[in-house]
Amino acid sequence: MKTSVVLLAVLAAVLVAGNFLVSDIGDRAAVGTGQAASFEADGAGDPAALVFDFGERLEQHRLERSAAVLARQQARIKARRERIRELRPFLDLPAGVSKSTLESIASCESGGDPTIVSSNGLYHGKYQFSPATWAAVGGSGLPSEAPEVEQDYRAALLYVKSGPGQWPVCGS
């Protein structure tokens, strides 16, 4: 914004200096951008035309920046919607398992950290699943790399299937 104001002030000062100076600056600016022909065709000798052309270019730049910002925002919204669509199946816990039960287990097992890996590398994630147990409840990859909501869901499945004994210290 400050650059635009400075450029407008410079152009106003140039206009006061006269047409010859405006033409000379316009020609030099055009050569620097590879647009000399467009200045000549637009009437570089007319100060009003030069200012008008500058205003049009400034407005075009603003429109292009606005379009780029809008495109990035739309891409982020699309990515969030896709992520929600991917995680939606894990939002509802199986019957018989409360969120507070799972929070208690997770707090004891990992301090509630979904990315943690045990010091020996055998247990992963919020509920310290072994990769084999994780696979047995439908998980793929490593539990510590899965979204937290999926870890909650799969822990609830394991709890329903096998009870709290899967977490001998923290499940009781």
Side-chain angles (χ1 to χ4, degrees):
M1 186 68 174
K2 288 181 180 180
T3 304
S4 303
V5 172
V6 170
L7 287 175
L8 284 174
V10 169
L11 281 175
V14 169
L15 289 175
V16 172
N19 274 345
F20 177 75
L21 186 56
V22 170
S23 296
D24 186 46
I25 290 173
D27 291 343
R28 275 193 262 147
V31 169
T33 61
Q35 297 176 343
S38 73
F39 274 104
E40 290 173 16
D42 292 345
D46 181 8
L50 182 61
V51 171
F52 184 74
D53 182 55
F54 173 76
E56 283 183 340
R57 290 177 191 215
L58 182 61
E59 185 62 26
Q60 182 62 34
H61 174 72
R62 286 180 179 155
L63 289 172
E64 289 170 359
R65 287 190 54 168
S66 295
V69 167
L70 180 62
R72 285 192 304 270
Q73 288 173 340
Q74 288 174 335
R76 280 194 296 264
I77 289 169
K78 183 179 179 183
R80 285 181 188 146
R81 285 182 177 157
E82 182 60 32
R83 186 72 173 149
I84 288 169
R85 198 172 301 122
E86 289 172 3
L87 297 177
R88 184 163 284 142
F90 305 116
L91 294 177
D92 295 324
L93 297 176
V97 182
S98 71
K99 187 73 175 164
S100 64
T101 299
L102 292 176
E103 287 174 3
S104 175
I105 293 170
S107 177
C108 177
E109 287 288 330
S110 66
D113 183 353
T115 62
I116 199 164
V117 177
S118 66
S119 59
N120 61 11
L122 297 177
Y123 302 100
H124 300 259
K126 190 174 177 179
Y127 300 96
Q128 293 293 279
F129 282 101
S130 70
T133 303
W134 178 252
V137 290
S140 62
L142 292 174
S144 53
E145 295 173 358
E148 184 174 8
V149 68
E150 182 179 0
Q151 291 183 43
D152 292 341
Y153 178 80
R154 301 221 180 273
L157 287 177
L158 183 60
Y159 192 93
V160 167
K161 181 178 177 181
S162 304
Q166 289 295 319
W167 300 276
V169 174
C170 300
S172 355

